[in-house]
Amino acid sequence: MPVLERETSRDRGSQVLPKVPVPPLKQTLDMYLRCVQHLVTEQQFMKTKAVVEKFGAPGGVGEALQKKLLERRDKTINWVYDYWLEDMYLNNRLALPVNSSPVMVFPKQTFRDHKDTLRFAARLIRGLLEYKRLIDERALPADVGRGQLAGTPLCMEQYYRLFTSYRYPGLKTDTLKVQMKAASSAEEHIVVACRSQFFVLNVVACGKQLNETEILSQLERIWKMMENPKERFPPFGILTSDGRTEWAQARDVLMKDQTNRDSLAQIESCLCVVCLDEPSDLVPSDTNRALLMLHGGGREKNGSNRWYDKSMQFVIGMDGICGVVCEHSPFEGIVLVQCSEYLMKYITGSPSRMASASSIRELPPPKRLLWKSNPHIQGLLAASGDRLQRLVNNLDMDVLTFKAYGKEFIKKQRMSPDAFIQVALQLAFFKCRGRLVPTYESASMRRFQQGRVDNIRSATLQALAFVKSMTDERVTFTDSEKMKRLQDALKAQTDYTIAAVTGMAIDNHLLGLLRISKELKMEKPDIFCDETYVASNRFILSTSQVPTTVEMFCCYGPVVPNGYGACYDPQSDHILFCVSSFWENTETSSAVFVKALNEGLLEIRDLCNRCSAAATKLADSSQGGGQPHKSGK
C-alpha cells in the first residue's frame, strides 16, 4: 500500500477530489490477460484468451456493460464503492476474527497491578475522546499521498467512520451502518468488556466530558462490579466471533427478549469497546502478542471478552499485552495507524492529567449490561465457542524482524522499498512452491472521492523471470542478467502501483462489469465463469504495507485456506513481517515461508552489493586507463 504522510495545512481536505475513473475496456482486458498468462497452463490461457476476445468484441457484451458502468459513474459519487464493500466484506460469510479483522499490536506495557492497568485504560480513553474531538471539529490535518504520487490530497472520509460505524450480521449479507450525526453527544458512551461481562461507561455527565480521574474512578467501579460472581452472565460476546450467518441467526434469537434488545442497542450505539483482558500466561513474544490480538486466545482465555461487530476494540491486558482490533469494512489500515499513533503519543508524550480527588463530580455508577438466556441460547454459545477454538488452533503465525537492512539500504540502490519487498515476497513464495500465484497488494485510492482500495497484482511476468534467475540450478545467470531482471520486476511493480492508485487497475473494473450484468439480470458472461477468472481471485498471497512511526505493528490472517497473509512495515534499518497461514493446510507453513523470505532478502542484498562493487571497479579501471578524463557537455 503506497505510504502517506501528514500535511500541515488544513484547507487541503476542503477541495473537491475527482471521481474514480472507469478505465477503457480494451485496456483492462489486455492487462487482465497479461496478469494471468504466466499463472495458468498454455491450454487454459488459450481458452481464456478466446473468452476475453469474445467479451471485448465490437458490439459485444463487454461494450454494453461498459456503457452502463459509465452511466453509473455519472450518477454516483463513487461508482465502485458499494460493489467493492459488498464483495470484499459484507457478502463474506467467514468469521471476522482472523479472516477479516486486522489488528494493531501496541508496544508491550509493564503493569504492576490492576490499578496500573486501569490507569493506562483511563489515559487511553481520554486520548480517544481528544482524537474524536479533532475528527468532529474536522480539525485533523489532511493526509497527502507519498511515494508514487507525492503531495496529492487524499479523501478524509474514512476518519469520520472510526467511532460511528457498526457492522450488523445478516443471513446472506451484512449491513454497515454509519451514524453520521450522533443522536446527542450527551448520550456518548463506550462499552467496557471485562471477564466477558459488558458495562456501559458514559463519557459525558451534565453536558461535560469526563476527565481522566473521573474515567479512572468509573473503571474502578466496573472492576468491583465484575468481581461479584453472582451477577455473572454467560459470555455473549463469543457469538460475534462466529460465522456471519450463524451470528445473524443467533442475534435473531436474542432479539426476542426485551432485555437482550436493550443490551444490544447499547453496544451497537457505543463509540468503541475497551476490553480489559485477563493475563494470558503466554510468553509475550511478538508472535504470541499478534495471535492474542487476532483471536483473544479462544474461549479458554479472552476470546469471548470481545464484540467483533464494533469498528474499534481496544484491548488492554493485565499482562501488558495491548492493541486494537478493527472491523475492516468502514476504513483502511492507514486510518487505524494514524489513530493508534495519536493514542500512543498521547499516553507517553504528556504528563498524566489526573485531577485532584476534591474536583471529582458525583457520577452515577456505570451500568452492567443484562442478558436473558435459555437452553437454546446456551447451545448457541457453546457452538460459537467450539468454532472459535477451531480457528484459534488453526492459525499459524510467525513474526519476523529482519535486521540485516531496512529501507535506507533499498533507497541507496535507487529502488522503491515497497516494490523491492513485493519482489522479495514473490521470491520467497517461489522458493517454497516452485511457482507464482495470484497476489493481492492493497493500493489506496484515497485521491478520489470516497476512495477505498484496488489491487496491485504483484505476481508479474517480470517477477517470475527474476525469481527463476535466482533459483534455477540448471542455468547459470550472470549477476548483470539477474540485476537486469530485478530492475524489470521493480519497474513492472511500480507501473502497476501507479495504475492502481490512479484508478486504472483491473480488479475493481471487472467487478463493476460483473455487478452490472447481475443488475441487468443477464446470464453471467463467460469471462466471469472461466476458471482462470475464478482462480485469479483466490489470493493465495495477500499482502499489505502498513508503515508506522511508533513502535507497533499490524497483522491479519490469510484470506483463503491454502494462503498466506503477509503484512510488512519497512523501517530505516530493519523490516518487520507478520506472516500467517493455517495449520490445517499441508501446503503452507509460516515458519517455512519466513525462512525463505529471510534467505531471499539476503540473496537480493548480496546481488545488489556485488553489482555495485563491479560497477565501481569498472568505473575506476576506465578512469585509470591513461586517457585524460574529459567532462562531457
Side-chain angles (χ1 to χ4, degrees):
M1 179 168 70
V3 191
L4 49 91
E5 62 191 9
R6 308 306 307 208
E7 143 104 349
T8 46
S9 85
R10 298 195 171 181
D11 51 16
R12 258 338 237 295
S14 59
Q15 66 190 63
V16 178
L17 298 173
K19 281 184 174 191
V20 176
V22 174
L25 181 64
K26 184 177 185 321
Q27 177 183 301
T28 291
L29 297 180
D30 290 348
M31 202 164 165
Y32 168 60
L33 289 174
R34 277 202 306 280
C35 286
V36 299
Q37 181 168 7
H38 53 289
L39 303 180
V40 297
T41 63
E42 198 175 338
Q43 189 185 0
Q44 175 61 31
F45 180 70
M46 294 321 291
K47 188 182 154 210
T48 297
K49 190 164 182 268
V51 167
V52 170
E53 281 169 359
K54 184 182 159 208
F55 180 78
V61 175
E63 279 191 359
L65 296 176
Q66 176 80 348
K67 185 167 170 281
K68 288 285 181 199
L69 203 53
L70 290 165
E71 286 169 16
R72 179 179 166 86
R73 180 182 187 254
D74 293 341
K75 286 195 261 210
T76 54
I77 293 174
N78 182 322
W79 64 266
V80 75
Y81 187 88
D82 292 341
Y83 291 167
W84 175 89
L85 186 64
E86 287 162 22
D87 180 68
M88 186 72 118
Y89 296 111
L90 305 182
N91 294 341
N92 194 333
R93 302 290 80 206
L94 294 174
L96 297 183
V98 178
N99 301 304
S100 176
S101 296
V103 302
M104 190 59 73
V105 182
F106 290 171
K108 165 89 172 59
Q109 304 298 316
T110 308
F111 301 138
R112 285 162 308 198
D113 52 23
H114 83 268
K115 287 195 167 139
D116 258 5
T117 313
L118 297 184
R119 273 189 211 104
F120 182 87
R123 198 83 206 272
L124 179 122
I125 292 166
R126 195 50 246 165
L128 278 170
L129 297 176
E130 288 295 321
Y131 195 69
K132 184 175 182 297
R133 180 183 60 76
L134 290 175
I135 292 172
D136 291 347
E137 291 173 2
R138 297 290 198 262
L140 279 183
D143 290 332
V144 295
R146 209 169 77 188
Q148 299 309 335
L149 293 164
T152 322
L154 302 176
C155 176
M156 297 294 284
E157 196 70 29
Q158 293 177 37
Y159 287 94
Y160 309 129
R161 303 194 201 112
L162 278 170
F163 297 98
T164 53
S165 304
Y166 189 87
R167 178 164 166 178
Y168 291 84
L171 294 173
K172 288 202 171 82
T173 183
D174 288 2
T175 309
L176 175 64
K177 286 200 176 150
V178 183
Q179 272 186 294
M180 278 333 259
K181 198 72 203 103
S184 148
S185 59
E187 292 161 19
E188 280 189 350
H189 65 279
I190 62 169
V191 165
V192 177
C194 195
R195 288 197 191 158
S196 308
Q197 307 297 295
F198 296 91
F199 302 86
V200 172
L201 170 57
N202 287 316
V203 292
V204 175
C206 308
K208 186 164 163 275
Q209 268 190 352
L210 272 56
N211 62 34
E212 201 175 312
T213 316
E214 290 168 335
I215 293 168
L216 178 59
S217 73
Q218 294 294 67
L219 289 173
E220 282 171 339
R221 284 166 125 176
I222 287 173
W223 187 261
K224 283 206 173 65
M225 290 160 78
M226 179 270 299
E227 286 180 329
N228 182 354
K230 288 198 188 99
E231 292 175 16
R232 201 158 291 167
F233 291 99
F236 278 77
I238 206 148
L239 295 171
T240 69
S241 74
D242 211 337
R244 301 308 287 168
T245 301
E246 291 83 350
W247 166 217
Q249 289 164 335
R251 188 175 175 278
D252 288 343
V253 175
L254 296 188
M255 291 290 283
K256 293 189 170 114
D257 187 279
Q258 186 63 47
T259 304
N260 295 338
R261 282 204 295 277
D262 292 346
S263 291
L264 285 168
Q266 289 282 356
I267 298 175
E268 289 161 4
S269 60
C270 71
L271 297 177
C272 64
V273 178
V274 171
C275 311
L276 302 174
D277 274 10
E278 297 285 294
S280 65
D281 304 323
L282 294 176
V283 178
S285 64
D286 286 353
T287 297
N288 280 340
R289 286 158 55 219
L291 286 166
L292 288 166
M293 281 306 123
L294 282 164
H295 52 49
R299 62 176 166 205
E300 301 309 314
K301 296 200 183 321
N302 295 293
S304 56
N305 199 45
R306 300 282 182 276
W307 200 272
Y308 282 100
D309 297 353
K310 188 60 203 165
S311 48
M312 287 198 296
Q313 302 185 84
F314 291 91
V315 176
I316 301 162
M318 301 290 153
D319 50 10
I321 296 176
C322 304
V324 54
V325 186
C326 123
E327 197 290 288
H328 209 347
S329 63
F331 47 81
E332 300 316 321
I334 198 70
V335 174
L336 185 70
V337 172
Q338 303 286 28
C339 174
S340 301
E341 294 195 342
Y342 177 92
L343 290 175
M344 285 299 105
K345 286 168 185 164
Y346 182 92
I347 290 167
T348 55
S350 44
S352 184
R353 297 167 185 75
M354 287 292 180
S356 65
S358 59
S359 66
I360 302 181
R361 297 174 285 173
E362 237 344 283
L363 297 168
K367 204 170 72 193
R368 183 195 288 265
L369 291 180
L370 311 175
W371 302 96
K372 284 281 171 61
S373 189
N374 58 37
H376 181 194
I377 291 172
Q378 292 283 5
L380 294 172
L381 290 165
S384 293
D386 289 345
R387 283 189 284 266
L388 175 62
Q389 207 52 47
R390 182 169 167 204
L391 194 57
V392 169
N393 297 341
N394 196 9
L395 184 62
D396 172 13
M397 168 70 74
D398 206 322
V399 179
L400 164 73
T401 304
F402 177 77
K403 293 180 176 161
Y405 59 89
K407 63 183 175 191
E408 287 314 310
F409 169 79
I410 303 171
K411 284 179 182 169
K412 278 191 185 128
Q413 313 307 311
R414 301 206 172 112
M415 293 171 180
S416 146
D418 190 67
F420 185 101
I421 294 168
Q422 283 292 329
V423 171
L425 288 166
Q426 295 299 320
L427 177 57
F429 192 91
F430 195 85
K431 279 171 170 281
C432 295
R433 303 294 303 283
R435 64 188 179 108
L436 294 190
V437 288
T439 303
Y440 182 96
E441 182 194 2
S442 55
S444 172
M445 293 182 70
R446 281 177 57 208
R447 66 204 66 252
F448 300 108
Q449 287 182 63
Q450 290 183 10
R452 290 294 298 265
V453 298
D454 204 341
N455 175 20
I456 302 165
R457 288 183 169 265
S458 309
T460 61
L461 182 60
Q462 293 85 347
L464 180 60
F466 169 67
V467 302
K468 279 182 171 170
S469 76
M470 295 293 279
T471 52
D472 195 333
E473 283 163 11
R474 294 161 305 174
V475 189
T476 310
F477 292 86
T478 64
D479 280 349
S480 60
E481 284 168 335
K482 289 178 185 175
M483 181 50 78
K484 167 79 173 72
R485 288 183 174 207
L486 174 58
Q487 284 165 339
D488 289 347
L490 295 174
K491 183 181 185 305
Q493 178 67 19
T494 302
D495 290 349
Y496 205 119
T497 302
I498 293 169
V501 298
T502 54
M504 289 290 147
I506 63 172
D507 284 66
N508 284 352
H509 189 194
L510 290 171
L511 172 67
L513 297 167
L514 171 61
R515 286 295 298 268
I516 292 278
S517 74
K518 272 189 189 165
E519 284 170 17
L520 296 173
K521 298 195 167 43
M522 287 169 61
E523 197 174 320
K524 197 181 203 177
D526 290 345
I527 185 174
F528 302 118
C529 303
D530 179 41
E531 66 188 85
T532 299
Y533 181 77
V534 176
S536 76
N537 282 287
R538 280 199 292 266
F539 295 108
I540 292 173
L541 197 49
S542 172
T543 73
S544 186
Q545 181 192 158
V546 183
T548 60
T549 60
V550 171
E551 188 208 332
M552 56 170 76
F553 62 90
C554 178
C555 58
Y556 50 80
V559 297
V560 291
N562 61 334
Y564 288 102
C567 191
Y568 55 96
D569 180 356
Q571 295 290 333
S572 59
D573 62 350
H574 68 276
I575 310 167
L576 194 118
F577 292 93
C578 297
V579 174
S580 60
S581 61
F582 290 122
W583 289 110
E584 278 176 13
N585 192 282
T586 52
E587 295 173 12
T588 56
S589 157
S590 298
V592 169
F593 188 89
V594 158
K595 182 171 176 285
L597 182 58
N598 193 58
E599 263 174 30
L601 285 162
L602 293 173
E603 286 166 12
I604 302 175
R605 176 200 64 183
D606 294 347
L607 172 67
C608 291
N609 286 343
R610 288 196 306 271
C611 288
S612 40
T616 309
K617 200 170 163 189
L618 189 69
D620 289 351
S621 66
S622 67
Q623 277 190 19
Q627 291 296 323
H629 186 66
K630 292 181 183 172
S631 64
K633 280 283 187 289

